[in-house]
Amino acid sequence: MLNIILAIVVSASIDSTMLFIGDQTAMHLQATCEPAEQVSLPVYGETLIDGIEIVDRTGVDTTYLKDGHYQLNQTLTLTSFKDSLFYIAPIPFLSGDDTVFSDPLSLNVVQPFEIDSTMAITDIKPVAKAPIWWWGIFRWILLAILLAALAVATRYLAILIGRRKGVIPQTPKEPERPAEQIALEKLDRIKEQKIWQTGQTKEYHTQLTDVVREYIGKRFGVSSSEKTSDETLREMKPVLAEQKQLYEQLRKMLSLADLVKFAKWTATPDENELSLRTAYTFVHETTPVNSDNTEEQDNKKNDNTINS
């Protein structure tokens, strides 16, 4: 399948010389020449010859060889729907004014089954509808009913046994933790982190006021987290009517936090520590006297306010 003229070598080959009708095979075109030579591979339309169709093709791939020559490669995907032995004439490759031909090829297309021409042509059958499987549907419905009945019966049996023993099973509820305990734990974490010492002053005052606002909401029912500092102070003023000094400390802490957060105020180290001590004092001073944590909080009060 090789043909040589001057310094040009061309070839054409087919992967399979026998093909069932409708199947596909690859045809490879190749040309090798010196760098000074110019070769053009043949250009085909939708058919190679009458009866053989080209369904796909690759681009022309150029490969440079070690001996200085270069090689052109292209692959055509062929198919046929005609039962016949095809003769493929030599493939022409153009090089300037010269034409180089490959060896001829053959392709045998075979009908894999016999067609009974005596039978009459009939229409295509319509799409068949699958029958409804009523027993399967009924079985799944019955299974669902049985599972629901079993769940109800199990629940009823558990209640009945509990009544006979005088105990109805109940899910124990965890006791709600005191607001002051939660607030003090969060203040302890803020105290340990000391983020204001690393330049995070805004975050520091935001965390402090968030803890105090959350505590006010749980302790006094004032939704402080959703209010401005002025609105919070207005609602807390009658609550702290007998603790004017504590109210004034709260006002200064919230005002300083607003300056730091919204006016880019640079708080001094003393002001930062004072805000933390104010938060501790506010929680301690407003903790109910009958709280289970009162004694423990009183023991820690001096440490939290002096060593912060």
Side-chain angles (χ1 to χ4, degrees):
M1 295 184 183
L2 298 177
N3 201 344
I4 304 176
I5 290 183
L6 301 176
I8 303 173
V9 180
V10 301
S11 68
S13 62
I14 299 179
D15 286 349
S16 177
T17 57
M18 189 186 77
L19 195 67
F20 286 146
I21 285 180
D23 285 352
Q24 299 178 359
T25 188
M27 178 178 180
H28 304 283
L29 303 179
Q30 186 180 91
T32 304
C33 58
E34 294 181 350
E37 301 292 339
Q38 297 293 328
V39 180
S40 298
L41 272 62
V43 179
Y44 294 100
E46 296 181 353
T47 60
L48 182 67
I49 60 174
D50 185 24
I52 299 180
E53 300 179 11
I54 300 175
V55 297
D56 194 14
R57 73 194 73 203
T58 65
V60 178
D61 180 35
T62 303
T63 304
Y64 293 92
L65 306 179
K66 294 181 179 180
D67 58 2
H69 291 70
Y70 71 93
Q71 191 177 84
L72 302 178
N73 297 278
Q74 187 180 31
T75 300
L76 308 178
T77 303
L78 309 178
T79 189
S80 179
F81 298 93
K82 184 177 180 180
D83 183 3
S84 179
L85 175 62
F86 294 96
Y87 171 76
I88 302 175
I91 306 296
F93 294 75
L94 298 180
S95 176
D97 296 332
D98 296 324
T99 302
V100 185
F101 291 91
S102 69
D103 291 336
L105 302 171
S106 63
L107 179 63
N108 188 18
V109 180
V110 180
Q111 173 64 263
F113 52 86
E114 295 184 2
I115 299 177
D116 189 354
S117 60
T118 62
M119 296 182 63
I121 299 176
T122 59
D123 293 335
I124 299 175
K125 290 184 178 181
V127 178
K129 294 183 178 180
I132 299 176
W133 188 33
W134 292 107
W135 165 242
I137 297 175
F138 175 75
R139 187 172 61 181
W140 283 109
I141 294 175
L142 182 61
L143 179 60
I145 294 173
L146 290 176
L147 290 175
L150 180 61
V152 173
T154 303
R155 176 63 179 168
Y156 176 77
L157 183 61
I159 294 175
L160 183 61
I161 294 174
R163 286 179 178 176
R164 287 185 177 181
K165 292 182 177 181
V167 178
I168 298 178
Q170 295 181 350
T171 303
K173 294 183 179 179
E174 292 186 5
E176 187 175 352
R177 298 177 64 199
E180 60 273 10
Q181 186 180 43
I182 298 174
L184 292 174
E185 288 180 359
K186 291 183 177 181
L187 291 175
D188 288 342
R189 285 197 294 269
I190 295 174
K191 176 183 175 182
E192 293 174 0
Q193 293 172 356
K194 298 181 179 180
I195 62 174
W196 67 267
Q197 295 184 4
T198 61
Q200 302 179 65
T201 308
K202 181 178 179 180
E203 290 77 5
Y204 171 74
H205 284 274
T206 300
Q207 292 179 13
L208 276 181
T209 53
D210 285 346
V211 172
V212 173
R213 289 174 181 273
E214 181 184 358
Y215 171 74
I216 289 175
K218 292 181 179 180
R219 175 69 180 87
F220 301 103
V222 177
S223 300
S224 180
S225 299
E226 301 174 0
K227 299 181 184 297
T228 64
S229 297
D230 290 340
E231 292 172 340
T232 300
L233 290 170
R234 277 199 299 269
E235 294 198 26
M236 289 300 297
K237 190 170 185 178
V239 176
L240 301 176
E242 298 180 0
Q243 297 173 290
K244 294 182 179 181
Q245 184 178 358
L246 183 63
Y247 173 81
E248 186 63 21
Q249 292 175 354
L250 176 64
R251 185 190 65 78
K252 290 181 179 179
M253 185 191 75
L254 294 179
S255 299
L256 176 62
D258 288 344
L259 289 173
V260 172
K261 290 189 291 183
F262 305 116
K264 297 183 179 180
W265 180 271
T266 301
T268 64
D270 291 340
E271 289 175 328
N272 291 328
E273 293 180 359
L274 178 60
S275 292
L276 180 60
R277 289 197 298 270
T278 299
Y280 272 115
T281 302
F282 181 79
V283 174
H284 286 305
E285 294 296 332
T286 56
T287 298
V289 179
N290 59 348
S291 173
D292 294 336
N293 300 306
T294 302
E295 182 178 353
E296 181 181 354
Q297 292 165 5
D298 290 339
N299 292 333
K300 291 183 178 180
K301 182 176 179 180
N302 293 331
D303 292 337
N304 291 331
T305 55
I306 296 175
N307 298 326
S308 59

